[in-house]
Amino acid sequence: MAKRKQQADAAQSDNESDSERSLVDVDFEFFDPNPDIDFLALKRLLTQLFQADAQLLPVHDLADLILAQPLVGTTVKCDGRESDPYAVLTALNLHVHKDRPSIQALTAYALEKSSADPVLHAKLQALLGPAALASGSVDHVGFVFSERLINMPVQITPHMYRMLADEIQWALDDNEPYDFKHLLLISRVYRLTAEEAAELQAASPRPKRQKQSEPPQGAGVYPFHPEDDIIRKFATHTLDYTFTHSQPREEDAFGLDTGGRMMLIPTARLRDIAAALAEAYPQPS
């Protein structure tokens, strides 16, 4: 059963001018994860999230775990429940599932990457280190998996985060193990030199219609998902890191210099995040 529908303009490419863009109305439907259909698509989205570092994680086990908890999590599809998901948002309990191979690898990955920020690393060690996991700490951490195909509009995210907050509360009402004190969100970023930013700025059209996000304004680090800039305002810690298996980039290399972003967020701010996203990205009228 679909959770709800949302209509959006499918043609949102930043490479088209107003005169070239033809608009197509698409109904996006929100579903619970479907174990019979979604496995391969979730593996692809997990690999997209972690890029070359996906080889460090048993993504098949992580996809299985996501599909094993139908009470919490949302996928977005365009062609009904039996079609592949184009986006997913869910939360996994890193304490309850600490013996799963994927969660062990993911926890080790987060601890290793956080070592670049001593304050965040100390916090994650206190929450997810061997001593914390062995002690049965009640300060549980939920890993938030949020990923989507590149052409999916950001306007789907407010509904997904609102539904995640609702589903976590409903699960708690049923005494399910989703009493998170913190949420750990891992996302993707890209880095631009001043020259690359200038090239992107020059190539960006100036349409009358509002864009999902503005082109980069200069050298720096930018999120692949524009909503991350809003979410990070609610995070107690944010760290941008380099992928372990990223390829060395030469000066004239083609493509983006990508990396990861880790945000630790108090679960109590989840509804605030949903409200902020709804204000920033209202549904197209």
Side-chain angles (χ1 to χ4, degrees), residues 81-158:
R81 185 175 185 272
E82 303 304 312
S83 61
D84 283 340
Y86 292 169
V88 62
L89 176 66
T90 192
L92 299 173
N93 192 318
L94 296 180
H95 291 251
V96 169
H97 303 298
K98 60 184 172 63
D99 295 326
R100 292 285 292 246
S102 58
I103 297 302
Q104 291 177 344
L106 179 61
T107 299
Y109 182 80
L111 289 172
E112 192 272 325
K113 291 302 178 185
S114 69
S115 62
D117 180 340
V119 177
L120 173 58
H121 184 66
K123 182 66 174 179
L124 289 182
Q125 279 285 2
L127 293 170
L128 297 172
L133 295 178
S135 69
S137 170
V138 295
D139 290 338
H140 285 194
V141 178
F143 164 60
V144 176
F145 173 43
S146 175
E147 191 56 284
R148 60 183 182 271
L149 297 185
I150 190 170
N151 288 329
M152 289 295 286
V154 69
Q155 284 82 5
I156 65 173
T157 60

Side-chain angles (χ1 to χ4, degrees), residues 1-5 28-32 80-81:
M1 179 181 295
K3 295 180 177 181
R4 63 164 292 167
K5 286 188 177 182
F28 294 112
E29 295 183 274
F30 299 79
F31 292 91
D32 295 325
R81 185 175 185 272

Side-chain angles (χ1 to χ4, degrees), residues 121-194:
H121 184 66
K123 182 66 174 179
L124 289 182
Q125 279 285 2
L127 293 170
L128 297 172
L133 295 178
S135 69
S137 170
V138 295
D139 290 338
H140 285 194
V141 178
F143 164 60
V144 176
F145 173 43
S146 175
E147 191 56 284
R148 60 183 182 271
L149 297 185
I150 190 170
N151 288 329
M152 289 295 286
V154 69
Q155 284 82 5
I156 65 173
T157 60
H159 303 287
M160 297 181 79
Y161 274 90
R162 178 186 55 77
M163 286 187 285
L164 180 63
D166 287 343
E167 289 171 345
I168 288 176
Q169 184 57 57
W170 296 336
L172 289 174
D173 292 343
D174 291 336
N175 295 316
E176 297 290 337
Y178 293 91
D179 189 12
F180 306 128
K181 296 297 186 292
H182 306 273
L183 299 172
L184 181 65
L185 174 62
I186 295 179
S187 190
R188 293 180 294 136
V189 297
Y190 60 95
R191 304 175 184 88
L192 295 179
T193 64

